[in-house]
Amino acid sequence: METGAVIETHNLTKAYKGQTAVDNLSFDVQEGEIFGFLGPNGAGKTTTLLMLLGLTEPTSGSAKVIGIDPCREPVKVKRLIGYLPENMGFYRDLNAWETLRFIAELNEIPRSEADGRIESALKTVGIYKEAEKKVGAFSRGMRQRLGIAEVLIKRPKAAFLDEPTLGLDPDTTNRIIELIEFLARERRMTVLLSSHFLHHVQKICHRVGIMIKGRMVAQGPLSQLAEEKLGVGQESYTLEEIYLKYFQEE
Amino acid sequence: MGGVTAILKKELADHFTSYRFLFLFALIAMVSLITAYMAGVNISTQLVDVAKPRFVFLMLFTSSGIGFSFVQFVAFFGPLIGLILGFDTINRERNEGTLSKLLSQPIYRDSIINGKFLAGVAIIAILLTSILLTVAGIGLLMIGVIPGIEEVFRLFIYLIISITYISFWLGAAILFSIIFRNVSTSALAALAAWVFFSFFVSLGANAVANALTTDTTISSSEAQMTRAKIRKAVSLISPMELYSDSTITIVDPMRRTTKSMVQMGWMEQLSITRFSGPLPLGQSILVVFPYITTLIAITFICFGISYAVFMRQEIRSV
Ligand SMILES: Nc1ncnc2c1ncn2[C@@H]1O[C@H](COP(=O)(O)OP(=O)(O)O)[C@@H](O)[C@H]1O
Ligand SMILES: [Mg+2]
């Protein structure tokens, strides 16, 4: 069945010793969608992303990313997906340009094309002026932008962003959220956004999934969740309220 | 494939700009120069009134000026080069969070190890070759002997074996860097392995041999024979022994072998009784061939374990 889903999982489960990190997760993300992946720390968001990229083996269940099984062909998936890990590290001795060139080489982007992509990615995230600066001297916000630039130069079909605004000041957070929205709108990029900045997620996500203790307790457009949980119409709710409601029920 | 090249390139650039490489180079250069100089002085004083024996040039590398020769120096301290280059290969990336970045790119996990290993091997090759050439240059100036074709060839083989040997230690160090998440733990483990194989194995080999042949009723020559065999067998688990034995055969053809007669296999005994001159090059190669194969084999075993462990490891930036 052709569903047009970029991400599809079916009963995806990951059990670590003595604990189930992801419990029978089934969800999908459609093309061009921004899907907000919500949940408290330890809910299993990162684990899910790692399984979708083939970086961790699921205990059971299955996943398809752009029609490919990440377990079987992780390299293929990673060629098509841009991933921004949480707490991403950088090579401190490289400058921004060199960092992106290295990523371009790993992705086998031809040199002639790489330079153009690097320049445009740096401009998009707004650190073009700092291209020659060592990443070791970057602020947290600049590093996060560079991380997004790393995603952009791959020209990916979809991006998995794991807490992209964690530890950033409100202004930088806003800019990054706007950037993500821009990429989805203008570049038709599918985005899976893990975050617990509910306020921002509410602003840009088309649909959300709320994950608690490894299980996805709700998913759908915000308005739908609001109606189910709060019984109110649009405008008069916040995602925070909905989220807390689910959280209390657990 | 693209992954390996990209990582190899980056690692090489990292090495060349690192203080670690600089210090390593300076240290080795200094020691080798001193050794070569002392050996040169030693040889030229000894050669004053006598006809030059064969393979004088090789003596630069084998004669000990200040207690140890160049060859001994590499056998003993060479492992440290490999260990220092490799002990933090993977765990540093893991701790700095760059490993998850690498792994989320479209490359296979083994490309990371391969790229890093090859970069290390290239560095080792550059280090050893340049130092060998420098020592040769000094020797040329001091004793004024031009090496013959065979000597050059022997030195070349020596170089290849040495690169293999140090690369084995590099492989071991990379394995440690995969197993131990903490950089200092893996440094300590590497150091322990070095001490174990440099001191304990040969001491232990003696101890085992003596313990197993305490029976005094056996005639002394027979006991000696058994003891020597056991000692040999035990010390063969040490790459250092493998290396020393093979290089000495190559660069010290007059000595022919490091082993005493009792330790020799029948082939070697045959060759030693048949020829009174130096062991011919072809023979030398034949003698050391199994050693080299073993060295390469244990390097591959190291690598096999590295792959197996690395493939299964949980990749978390925290
Ligand atoms: N390597 C591991 N071994 C055991 N448990 C783990 C491991 N990695 C993660 N976990 C557990 O899995 C759960 C989910 O973690 P994670 O996916 O990082 O949550 P989130 O990203 O939503 O904060 C946590 O309870 C965590 O303790
Ligand atoms: Mg997480």
Side-chain angles (χ1 to χ4, degrees):
Chain A
M1 188 179 70
E2 192 53 59
T3 55
V6 173
I7 303 166
E8 238 182 324
T9 74
H10 187 68
N11 287 337
L12 198 61
T13 301
K14 176 73 187 184
Y16 288 111
K17 268 182 224 111
Q19 170 189 21
T20 309
V22 176
D23 191 359
N24 281 300
L25 177 67
S26 300
F27 79 112
D28 63 275
V29 178
Q30 302 297 316
E31 195 174 342
E33 207 176 24
I34 304 181
F35 189 92
F37 208 34
L38 309 176
N41 290 325
K45 306 182 294 290
T46 302
T47 310
T48 307
L49 294 183
L50 291 177
M51 285 191 285
L52 289 176
L53 279 164
L55 288 173
T56 296
E57 291 267 313
T59 312
S60 64
S62 64
K64 279 258 158 64
V65 177
I66 317 185
I68 306 166
D69 182 351
C71 256
R72 294 246 178 87
E73 299 176 286
V75 172
K76 246 186 188 171
V77 171
K78 288 187 270 190
R79 194 176 298 282
L80 299 170
I81 304 293
Y83 173 51
L84 181 74
E86 60 178 345
N87 307 320
M88 161 137 79
F90 291 89
Y91 298 108
R92 306 173 60 84
D93 292 333
L94 298 186
N95 65 33
W97 191 283
E98 289 162 346
T99 303
L100 294 177
R101 156 130 338 120
F102 180 50
I103 298 293
E105 280 174 8
L106 289 173
N107 282 279
E108 290 173 327
I109 300 167
R111 182 89 182 222
S112 52
E113 203 183 324
D115 284 349
R117 288 199 196 184
I118 293 171
E119 187 179 328
S120 106
L122 285 171
K123 281 179 175 157
T124 307
V125 299
I127 51 168
Y128 184 63
K129 280 198 190 117
E130 279 89 4
E132 306 280 319
K133 204 165 151 185
K134 290 240 159 106
V135 179
F138 270 25
S139 68
R140 187 163 171 115
M142 283 159 73
R143 283 183 196 201
Q144 210 63 12
R145 286 161 193 245
L146 180 57
I148 294 175
E150 285 183 17
V151 170
L152 291 182
I153 58 163
K154 292 171 79 166
R155 304 256 157 104
K157 284 233 160 52
F160 299 172
L161 311 175
D162 201 352
E163 317 242 9
T165 56
L166 194 68
L168 299 182
D169 64 63
D171 185 46
T172 317
T173 303
N174 276 331
R175 280 161 193 254
I176 286 188
I177 288 294
E178 275 163 22
L179 179 61
I180 294 169
E181 207 250 332
F182 164 83
L183 293 171
R185 186 162 34 88
E186 300 295 320
R187 304 257 172 97
R188 296 290 298 156
M189 198 149 85
T190 308
V191 179
L192 178 54
L193 174 67
S194 137
S195 178
H196 47 234
F197 285 80
L198 307 173
H199 173 64
H200 299 293
V201 172
Q202 178 172 14
K203 229 166 41 184
I204 62 167
C205 287
H206 303 120
R207 281 197 305 145
V208 299
I210 298 179
M211 210 168 170
I212 294 172
K213 291 184 194 151
R215 293 193 306 114
M216 194 173 274
V217 294
Q219 64 172 307
L222 266 177
S223 54
Q224 184 193 322
L225 298 190
E227 254 180 60
E228 277 173 20
K229 276 294 136 182
L230 303 173
V232 292
Q234 233 148 13
E235 313 299 330
S236 55
Y237 61 86
T238 64
L239 179 54
E240 219 137 352
E241 289 175 84
I242 304 171
Y243 178 77
L244 282 176
K245 198 95 180 169
Y246 277 108
F247 201 55
Q248 280 154 10
E249 282 176 12
E250 278 301 303
Chain B
M1 252 351 268
V4 178
T5 338
I7 289 168
L8 175 63
K9 257 173 65 185
K10 174 177 173 301
E11 288 294 311
L12 277 179
D14 282 355
H15 277 308
F16 281 127
T17 52
S18 73
Y19 283 117
R20 182 190 316 207
F21 175 73
L22 213 65
F23 283 132
L24 214 52
F25 197 89
L27 202 72
I28 296 166
M30 277 189 297
V31 179
S32 325
L33 293 189
I34 294 167
T35 323
Y37 178 77
M38 299 302 277
V41 170
N42 201 6
I43 296 167
S44 27
T45 49
Q46 279 178 23
L47 287 184
V48 173
D49 286 325
V50 291
K52 288 198 172 86
R54 285 189 70 183
F55 303 122
V56 176
F57 195 74
L58 288 181
M59 282 168 65
L60 264 177
F61 298 89
T62 55
S63 92
S64 39
I66 42 164
F68 56 86
S69 67
F70 180 83
V71 170
Q72 284 168 331
F73 169 70
V74 175
F76 199 68
F77 290 104
L80 282 183
I81 303 176
L83 293 176
I84 288 172
L85 285 175
F87 75 96
D88 63 347
T89 308
I90 299 295
N91 46 17
R92 185 168 37 95
E93 299 240 10
R94 190 192 297 282
N95 295 339
E96 288 182 1
T98 45
L99 190 60
S100 49
K101 172 187 353 227
L102 272 186
L103 287 172
S104 60
Q105 305 305 327
I107 53 172
Y108 292 98
R109 280 196 190 187
D110 50 1
S111 312
I112 298 177
I113 315 184
N114 290 346
K116 284 171 178 275
F117 180 72
L118 289 177
V121 173
I123 292 293
I124 292 166
I126 292 167
L127 267 176
L128 281 183
T129 310
S130 54
I131 277 153
L132 202 82
L133 289 177
T134 319
V135 170
I138 291 182
L140 221 61
L141 289 176
M142 286 185 66
I143 55 177
V145 179
I146 291 168
I149 290 289
E150 188 180 335
E151 281 174 301
V152 172
F153 208 68
R154 281 175 184 276
L155 274 180
F156 181 71
I157 297 173
Y158 167 75
L159 187 64
I160 300 294
I161 304 176
S162 303
I163 293 171
T164 313
Y165 171 61
I166 298 178
S167 300
F168 157 74
W169 288 97
L170 174 69
I174 291 178
L175 176 58
F176 286 134
S177 81
I178 292 171
I179 296 174
F180 301 106
R181 308 241 162 166
N182 188 315
V183 174
S184 33
T185 313
S186 105
L188 274 179
L191 209 62
W194 178 64
V195 170
F196 176 77
F197 283 118
S198 340
F199 304 101
F200 266 61
V201 171
S202 38
L203 280 180
N206 271 326
V208 170
N210 289 335
L212 290 181
T213 55
T214 41
D215 192 351
T216 43
T217 57
I218 307 176
S219 76
S220 65
S221 75
E222 204 174 320
Q224 215 181 353
M225 180 90 175
T226 335
R227 203 173 295 152
K229 272 188 178 156
I230 294 171
R231 195 181 303 133
K232 193 72 215 160
V234 174
S235 59
L236 271 188
I237 65 163
S238 162
M240 204 170 285
E241 300 281 332
L242 288 172
Y243 171 75
S244 310
D245 282 2
S246 51
T247 47
I248 284 297
T249 314
I250 290 292
V251 290
D252 202 357
M254 301 306 282
R255 193 187 314 185
R256 327 175 102 259
T257 167
T258 51
K259 296 168 280 191
S260 60
M261 273 294 262
V262 282
Q263 288 172 275
M264 284 177 198
W266 64 272
M267 268 295 265
E268 292 167 67
Q269 287 191 13
L270 191 69
S271 75
I272 214 157
T273 45
R274 281 270 185 86
F275 308 98
S276 48
L279 198 58
L281 182 57
Q283 287 283 323
S284 302
I285 294 175
L286 221 60
V287 169
V288 301
F289 192 71
Y291 293 86
I292 302 174
T293 326
T294 316
L295 262 182
I296 294 176
I298 56 176
T299 311
F300 272 107
I301 291 172
C302 240
F303 245 79
I305 301 173
S306 296
Y307 286 140
V309 176
F310 193 46
M311 292 304 150
R312 278 145 213 261
Q313 250 174 5
E314 191 63 42
I315 302 305
R316 280 278 162 138
S317 44
V318 209

